[in-house]
Amino acid sequence: MPKLVRRTPSDLLAGLAAPVEKLLARAATVAQSHGATLWLVGGVVRDLFLGLPVERDIDLVVEGDAVALAQDLAVALAGRVVAAHDAFGTATVEINGRHIAHNARNAIFLDLAGARREIYPHPAALPVVQTASIAEDLARRDFSINAVVLELHADGSSLQPARLLDPFGGQHDLEAGVLRVLHSASFVDDPTRILRGLRLAARLDLVVEPHTETFLEQALERKLLEETSSDRIRTELCLVFDEPRPSQVLRLADRWGLTSLIFPALRWSERIEQAVVRFENEMANAAHDSTLHAQVYLGLLTYDLSTEEREILIARYRLPNESAWLLRDVGAVQTVLEQLSPTLRSSEIDTILRPFGPAALWTVSYAESSPVSAIVQRYLLELRPIALSLDGHALQRLGVLPGPQLGQLLRALRAARLDGLVTSQAEEETWVREQMRQPGAGGEA
Ligand code: ATP
C-alpha cells in the first residue's frame, strides 16, 4: 500500500525541487497575466503526495487557451513549443535543462491542456472535446487518484499555497491503496483505462475497489479492449515496459485475464515469469545497454510464440521495425540453439550467434537455462565485443587484393583472434602474411 508523506498544499509545494518550483512560479505568473488559472495535475501531484521527486513531464491544466499560453510560456521560459493541437486545446513546451539549473541535463516538458469535458460518441471511440471548468475537467479523468489538482499561484518568484481540488477522494484512495474509477461508464468510454489502471495498480500496489472491479469485468466481458484500435493498445503496452517493475504489471495482467485478450497465443507461464524476474534482478548489474530493456521484455513475453503467431502479432499491432525484427530474431535464434555446446570453439559460437541482434540474444540468455544461457551470455559479454586490430584497408596495405577473398580472410582472421591463435596487431599481421604465402592466396604477386 502506498505511503502518503505529504498532505496539504504547502506540504506538496515543499516537495518540489527549488528549480522546478521556480519554473512553475514563472509559468503561473504568465498564466496570471492571461487572467487564467494554472493547475498541476496527474502523476506529478500523485508523486508529490508520495514524497517522490518530480523527474518527469509535468501535466498542467489551464482554464483558458492552452495553446496561446504555451506560446507565451515558451518565450518567458526560453523554451519552445514542440506540439500544439488547437482542436484538442493541448500543447507541449520543452524547456532545456540549462535554463532550470546549472547541473540539470535533461529537458523538462510542460504538457498543457485546456480544461475540457469529453463526450464519447460510442464506446472506445476518441472523444469530442469541449471547453469546460476545472471541476468538469476532473470528472473526465480516469481514476480518483489522478483527479486531484493543485492550483499554482505565484507571488513573485515563488509559489504560494493555494487550492487543492480533490472532488473524488483521490487523496484518501491513494492512502488506502485503492484504484477507483469516477463513474460506471469509465471503461466503456475508454477501454485503454483498463491498461492504465493495470499499470498504476501494479506500480503502487493498489487494490481495485469492488464497484470498479465489477465495471472492469463487464468491460472485459463486452470485449471492449478487442474493439479498441490496436495502435492505442500498443501505445499502452509499450508503457508497461517502462514501468519500474514490468514483471508485476505482467503478472497482474494475467490475474485480470488480460494476457490472452491482448493476443490469444500469449501465455504468462511459470517459465516466462521466472525468466522475466531473473532479467529484472540482474538488469541493474548486467552489461547490456538500458535501451534494450523494453525489447528484452517483449522478447521474453513472446518467447514461446510460433513463427506464424509472431507474424500475426507484428501485423495486428503494426509493431515498429525494431520490435518486428526482435520478434523474428528471437524466433529464429531458438532454431539454432541445439547447435550450441560447451565444447565448441569460440569462433564456432560466433558463427552461430553472429546473425542475431543483442536484444534477441539477451532474451535467450534469460529464457534458457544452462549451458545454453551461459554460452550466450559469454558470447555477448566476451566474444562479440572482440574487435580486430586490422580492417580491410589494413589488409590491402599488406597486399591482399580487394574482392571476396578479402572478406573471407577477414572472417578467418576474426576466427583466429576469437580462438586465441592471434592476440595482438603484430600477430594479426604475421597471420595475414602467412595466409598470403599459402598457394592460391589472393595477394599481390
Ligand atoms: P504516469 O506516472 O504513468 O506518467 P500520469 O497519471 O502522469 O501517470 P499521463 O499519461 O501523463 O499519466 O496522464 C496525465 C493525467 O491525464 C492522468 O493523471 C489522468 O488524470 C489523465 N489521463 C490520461 N489518460 C487518460 C485517460 N485515458 N482517461 C482519462 N484520463 C486520463
Side-chain angles (χ1 to χ4, degrees):
M1 196 185 291
K3 199 166 165 308
L4 249 61
V5 299
R6 300 181 190 277
R7 290 162 195 282
T8 63
S10 57
D11 270 355
L12 295 175
L13 291 179
L16 293 169
V20 177
E21 190 206 340
K22 212 167 128 201
L23 175 80
L24 292 178
R26 281 159 69 194
T29 307
V30 176
Q32 283 159 217
S33 73
H34 275 234
T37 309
L38 196 60
W39 304 86
L40 193 60
V41 69
V44 176
V45 180
R46 232 179 35 228
D47 286 355
L48 287 172
F49 276 123
L50 299 175
L52 300 172
V54 175
E55 286 167 348
R56 48 152 74 237
D57 301 354
I58 298 179
D59 286 303
L60 299 166
V61 188
V62 58
E63 287 178 285
D65 184 343
V67 175
L69 178 62
Q71 278 151 358
D72 284 2
L73 282 186
V75 174
L77 304 173
R80 63 191 183 109
V81 177
V82 287
H85 304 284
D86 282 311
F88 297 117
T90 58
T92 302
V93 182
E94 177 185 8
I95 293 150
N96 193 313
R98 274 182 292 117
H99 296 304
I100 303 158
H102 299 306
N103 54 358
R105 270 175 289 127
N106 296 334
I108 287 193
F109 291 89
L110 300 179
D111 283 328
L112 282 117
R116 87 266 301 272
R117 74 174 74 84
E118 287 176 348
I119 297 160
Y120 290 85
H122 57 84
L126 287 175
V128 176
V129 171
Q130 292 172 349
T131 314
S133 65
I134 185 73
E136 286 172 292
D137 183 277
L138 290 180
R140 61 124 188 137
R141 289 182 182 264
D142 47 3
F143 302 104
S144 63
I145 58 170
N146 283 346
V148 185
V149 278
L150 176 66
E151 181 182 357
L152 295 178
H153 181 78
D155 186 3
S157 63
S158 60
L159 290 169
Q160 297 304 316
R163 288 173 289 172
L164 182 68
L165 304 187
D166 180 11
F168 298 97
Q171 185 172 351
H172 174 273
D173 281 347
L174 191 58
E175 182 141 47
V178 166
L179 185 77
R180 182 194 305 272
V181 285
L182 308 188
H183 56 89
S184 60
S186 186
F187 294 128
V188 179
D189 286 345
D190 180 356
T192 65
R193 289 176 187 159
I194 298 172
L195 301 173
R196 292 180 56 81
L198 171 78
R199 276 194 295 120
L200 273 176
R203 191 195 310 164
L204 301 175
D205 196 16
L206 306 177
V207 173
V208 182
E209 174 275 329
H211 290 105
T212 303
E213 192 169 5
T214 307
F215 304 144
L216 179 77
E217 284 165 4
Q218 288 167 349
L220 295 182
E221 269 163 33
R222 285 180 60 184
K223 302 200 179 305
L224 292 175
L225 260 186
E226 287 95 318
E227 284 170 27
T228 308
S229 90
S230 44
D231 286 351
R232 293 182 69 203
I233 297 193
R234 185 195 58 233
T235 307
E236 286 297 330
L237 293 178
C238 288
L239 294 173
V240 170
F241 301 133
D242 289 334
E243 286 290 315
R245 296 289 286 188
S247 64
Q248 289 170 351
V249 189
L250 298 172
R251 196 176 298 126
L252 194 60
D254 194 52
R255 285 226 307 272
W256 287 13
L258 297 179
T259 317
S260 58
L261 284 186
I262 288 162
F263 191 65
L266 279 188
R267 295 273 173 281
W268 179 245
S269 63
E270 211 174 302
R271 168 174 171 218
I272 292 186
E273 170 155 7
Q274 281 169 6
V276 169
V277 170
R278 201 164 40 239
F279 168 53
E280 236 159 47
N281 291 340
E282 288 179 25
M283 189 153 80
N285 312 328
H288 47 80
D289 165 355
S290 64
T291 59
L292 298 180
H293 289 175
Q295 296 286 305
V296 176
Y297 276 115
L298 179 64
L300 289 173
L301 184 62
T302 56
Y303 198 74
D304 290 329
L305 296 187
S306 68
T307 308
E308 195 190 356
E309 287 162 347
R310 286 168 190 275
E311 290 306 324
I312 297 172
L313 181 70
I314 290 167
R316 168 150 167 206
Y317 286 106
R318 299 203 297 163
L319 294 186
N321 282 343
E322 189 190 29
S323 306
W325 283 112
L326 168 89
L327 255 75
R328 292 182 182 125
D329 254 12
V330 172
V333 70
Q334 288 181 65
T335 66
V336 302
L337 295 181
E338 61 185 16
Q339 298 171 31
L340 294 177
S341 104
T343 56
L344 291 181
R345 287 198 306 272
S346 299
S347 59
E348 292 170 316
I349 297 174
D350 185 62
T351 307
I352 297 169
L353 297 182
R354 205 169 169 67
F356 307 103
L361 293 175
W362 280 113
T363 302
V364 168
S365 81
Y366 290 109
E368 298 291 331
S369 44
S370 262
V372 167
S373 138
I375 295 171
V376 175
Q377 283 226 13
R378 179 172 156 252
Y379 172 71
L380 280 161
L381 296 173
E382 295 171 24
L383 305 181
R384 197 161 166 128
I386 289 178
L388 287 175
S389 305
L390 302 183
D391 59 10
H393 299 293
L395 258 60
Q396 286 184 49
R397 280 198 295 276
L398 290 172
V400 183
L401 293 175
Q405 70 277 14
L406 188 131
Q408 275 163 20
L409 209 58
L410 269 175
R411 277 192 294 280
L413 177 58
R414 180 173 160 79
R417 180 106 199 200
L418 285 167
D419 293 337
L421 305 177
V422 293
T423 58
S424 65
Q425 178 167 346
E427 286 182 16
E428 285 182 17
E429 286 171 4
T430 310
W431 184 92
V432 172
R433 288 197 184 94
E434 273 169 13
Q435 298 300 308
M436 289 172 59
R437 280 198 289 274
Q438 307 289 321
E444 285 164 355

